[in-house]
Amino acid sequence: MVQIWKERANQRKKHRAIEIGVIITILTGAALFAVSRQMKKGRGTDESICTS
């Protein structure tokens, strides 16, 4: 009885770890995307200032 409960708890931990990993991956991906867009915008404005 205790053995089954322990196995279930371990499986739940694994599932949670996977979910957290997925969430972190999505968040870091979104953050990197936002940063790259901001940098592109920054470069665009810098270029326009340099050319004028």
Side-chain angles (χ1 to χ4, degrees):
M1 207 50 190
V2 176
Q3 191 66 32
I4 293 165
W5 184 80
K6 276 185 183 173
E7 280 175 17
R8 278 199 189 146
N10 281 340
Q11 281 182 340
R12 207 170 292 142
K13 276 183 194 165
K14 277 184 193 165
H15 276 293
R16 193 168 291 156
I18 290 166
E19 282 172 14
I20 289 168
V22 168
I23 289 164
I24 288 167
T25 306
I26 290 167
L27 285 177
T28 48
L32 286 171
F33 180 70
V35 167
S36 67
R37 277 188 68 183
Q38 282 299 112
M39 283 182 68
K40 277 180 190 165
K41 275 186 193 166
R43 271 198 216 118
T45 53
D46 286 350
E47 278 172 16
S48 62
I49 289 163
C50 289
T51 50
S52 59

